[in-house]
Amino acid sequence: MARVLSLFTFLFLGFLGLISFPAEAAIKKYQFDIQVKNVSRLCHAKPIVTVNGRFPGPTIYVREGDRVLVNVTNHAQYNMSIHWHGLKQYRNGWADGPAYITQCPIQTGSSYTYDFNVTGQRGTLWWHAHILWLRATVYGAIVIMPKQGTPFPFPQPNREVEILLGEWWHSDVEEVVKEGTNMGLPPNMSDAHTINGKPGPLFPCAEKHTFVMEVELGKTYLLRIINSALNDELFFAIAGHNMTVVEVDAVYTKPFTTSAILIAPGQTTNVLVQANQIPGRYFMATRPFMDAPLSIDNRTATAILQYKGIPNTVLPTLPQLPLSNDTQFALSYNKKLRSLNSPKYPANVPLKVDRNLFYTIGFGKNSCPTCLNGTKLLASLNNISFAMPQTALLQAHFFNIKGVYRADFPDKPPTPFNYTGAPLKANLGTATGTRVSKIAFNSTVELVLQDTNLLTVESHPFHLHGYNFFVVGTGIGNFDPAKDPAKYNLVDPMERNTVGVPTGGWTAIRFKADNPGVWFMHCHLELHTGWGLKTAFVVEDGPGQDQSVLPPPKDLPPC
């Protein structure tokens, strides 16, 4: 009998060994050394701030459920902070990264370890510097693979490639910004756009500065596309090849096929591309979308999609990108974006709203006797231009430090007017201050962002830290609270972390305030953020044990 039991135990344990149990969450460790390095583009070299000497910086590879520790050591002359764009950082704003919002920056010669969990997210996100204009060169991809054994909800690609779209300046970017600020004018626009840090062969000295992606006939490729540019919404297309959009901002979409995509700064888009054309060399190309009467760097950056075995002497063909002011394409493209809303990946849209917010986006001019025209430009939400504090807001909130901010940001503009009517050249009494909105834990919020014609209309990509939100509605002209909510999509709206407010229009988003802490919200055009187009939400602690902000780490940088 004992021998039979022993045999049974042996067989049972052997059987258990054959079963594939889910792997435990791993701890992924990275070292980021902030270093200045000479980099050559457009026929001359200049020193730039990099991570580990790389431009763009290294990709963070993790799996859903992993814990990530990134030790950042700052060897550069600038103070530094890193934002993990799109990661929700539940109760853990200390790892979010925006300077003077959730932390004071990492000073030269110091280190700080960002410690966070990747929970309930999978897909493409990215990281970037979140201080000054340093994200011009300090940025990289975050690739979150699904849990072990979980397939993508779309055809499995043969290979994956990260595509980071960016900008390049001949001069030191911080000097460019300083010059513009001193004159009270926008700083000089970039000298080139880039694909994976390279402008491509339409620019001089491009032999070494062109990204090439080799493909094999009949195979399928997943492109993880990130707009890392500071100030430009971008079109992206591949000559001769369609793209199938399957994810944006690390949220799966209902797949649709398109010849070009539109992607705003801060946004990510995953597309499937089939290598099903006549083998050759095809340009991938990007250039800005701008449908307002403003000057931009309108040159096209290119990379090459090259079929295996095709010699480099074959001339690539260019794709047909939309016209730079093609508003209709932009509106039509964004309308196609829908959440997958499957049983496994539901779209849990808040249907009941506890708090209605209406924020107007405006420009203005303040007196500046030392500036070129005696005035300087500024930007505002609800006529408030946000002033950055000297103590991080999250520290002030957590430790109850008085005098750092006021929690009285208005829920609606103090002066209603015809927002998108004839251009208003005058200020509407724009105030400057560190003012935030206090939000009750677990309440549902609807926020309507309304563009205005104060000085000029313009599109604005807004990013909310700490949350995803649902884009329930958008339109051109003034938002009508009596009529427009009836047209909302409350079934399968796109869920994302960065949304474009159309030129002369509005966008409505909804989210559940279930992540306590202080969360930045700002235009992701660095120019506008610097002018004050930003604010923050203080989401109060909940009553539960796991519904309050975690204590700060011991190595939190001092203010």
Side-chain angles (χ1 to χ4, degrees), residues 34 49 74 76-81 99-100 104-109 129-132 134 558:
I34 309 298
V49 182
N74 186 8
Q77 72 270 38
Y78 300 106
N79 290 343
M80 177 58 66
S81 73
Y100 299 107
C104 286
I106 306 161
Q107 296 176 8
T108 302
H130 212 300
I131 184 170
L132 307 173
L134 293 175

Side-chain angles (χ1 to χ4, degrees), residues 124-292:
T124 305
L125 296 171
W126 66 301
W127 58 265
H128 59 81
H130 212 300
I131 184 170
L132 307 173
W133 281 37
L134 293 175
R135 75 176 174 92
T137 55
V138 180
Y139 62 85
I142 302 173
V143 173
I144 308 169
M145 295 303 292
K147 288 181 178 176
Q148 199 81 44
T150 303
F152 296 130
F154 48 79
Q156 304 303 293
N158 297 100
R159 190 159 69 91
E160 303 177 21
V161 180
E162 292 104 51
I163 303 286
L164 293 98
L165 312 177
E167 289 178 272
W168 178 265
W169 278 260
H170 278 308
S171 306
D172 182 299
V173 179
E174 293 308 316
E175 290 302 317
V176 171
V177 177
K178 204 179 291 180
E179 187 180 340
T181 302
N182 290 341
M183 292 195 295
L185 298 172
N188 289 343
M189 66 187 76
S190 55
D191 295 293
H193 289 95
T194 58
I195 298 177
N196 287 347
K198 300 173 180 181
L202 303 187
F203 287 86
C205 300
E207 296 80 15
K208 293 186 297 182
H209 304 312
T210 300
F211 173 70
V212 178
M213 172 183 159
E214 188 179 79
V215 299
E216 292 184 51
L217 185 65
K219 292 194 173 177
T220 301
Y221 297 83
L222 180 69
L223 304 191
R224 298 176 178 270
I225 305 167
I226 300 165
N227 186 347
S228 326
L230 267 75
N231 292 311
D232 288 329
E233 295 184 68
L234 295 166
F235 293 119
F236 176 85
I238 306 171
H241 296 73
N242 283 329
M243 296 172 283
T244 301
V245 177
V246 292
E247 178 202 300
V248 301
D249 291 5
V251 178
Y252 296 133
T253 68
K254 287 185 168 68
F256 68 93
T257 301
T258 181
S259 59
I261 68 166
L262 175 63
I263 183 167
Q267 293 181 337
T268 71
T269 304
N270 282 10
V271 300
L272 291 174
V273 177
Q274 290 185 311
N276 57 5
Q277 299 301 302
I278 297 167
R281 300 173 84 223
Y282 298 85
F283 272 131
M284 299 185 274
T286 187
R287 74 161 176 238
F289 163 62
M290 171 56 76
D291 59 352

Side-chain angles (χ1 to χ4, degrees), residues 531-552:
W531 287 346
L533 197 50
K534 51 197 172 187
T535 185
F537 293 113
V538 174
V539 179
E540 297 175 299
D541 287 348
Q545 189 178 356
D546 297 326
Q547 296 178 344
S548 58
V549 178
L550 292 166

Side-chain angles (χ1 to χ4, degrees), residues 37-41 44-48 50 53-55 168 197 209:
K37 183 184 178 184
N38 271 344
V39 171
S40 175
R41 296 289 185 275
H44 82 274
K46 71 165 188 176
I48 65 169
T50 69
R54 294 166 60 179
F55 169 64
W168 178 265
H209 304 312

Side-chain angles (χ1 to χ4, degrees), residues 397-509:
H397 168 63
F398 188 85
F399 295 109
N400 199 24
I401 304 169
K402 304 296 183 188
V404 177
Y405 64 84
R406 286 165 49 186
D408 63 349
F409 190 90
D411 286 5
K412 58 186 179 182
T415 310
F417 61 100
N418 182 6
Y419 305 117
T420 55
L424 278 167
K425 301 297 182 189
N427 273 7
L428 291 179
T430 304
T432 300
T434 311
R435 295 168 67 181
V436 304
S437 285
K438 194 168 270 192
I439 307 287
F441 180 80
N442 247 3
S443 61
T444 54
V445 178
E446 178 175 306
L447 167 61
V448 176
L449 290 158
Q450 172 73 62
D451 189 29
T452 70
N453 209 355
L454 283 162
L455 296 187
T456 181
V457 290
E458 189 177 345
S459 61
H460 300 273
F462 265 84
H463 172 47
L464 176 59
H465 291 227
Y467 288 91
N468 280 356
F469 49 74
F470 290 96
V471 185
V472 295
T474 192
I476 300 299
N478 296 343
F479 174 74
D480 185 338
K483 295 179 181 176
D484 286 325
K487 304 171 198 166
Y488 283 176
N489 174 11
L490 300 177
V491 178
D492 60 352
M494 199 60 240
E495 181 185 347
R496 58 189 326 166
N497 62 60
T498 306
V499 66
V501 179
T503 302
W506 56 271
T507 292
I509 66 172

Side-chain angles (χ1 to χ4, degrees), residues 348-353 444-445 470 472 490 510-512:
N348 297 315
V349 189
L351 300 179
K352 174 180 161 287
V353 175
T444 54
V445 178
F470 290 96
V472 295
L490 300 177
R510 286 187 184 181
F511 63 96
K512 187 175 184 179

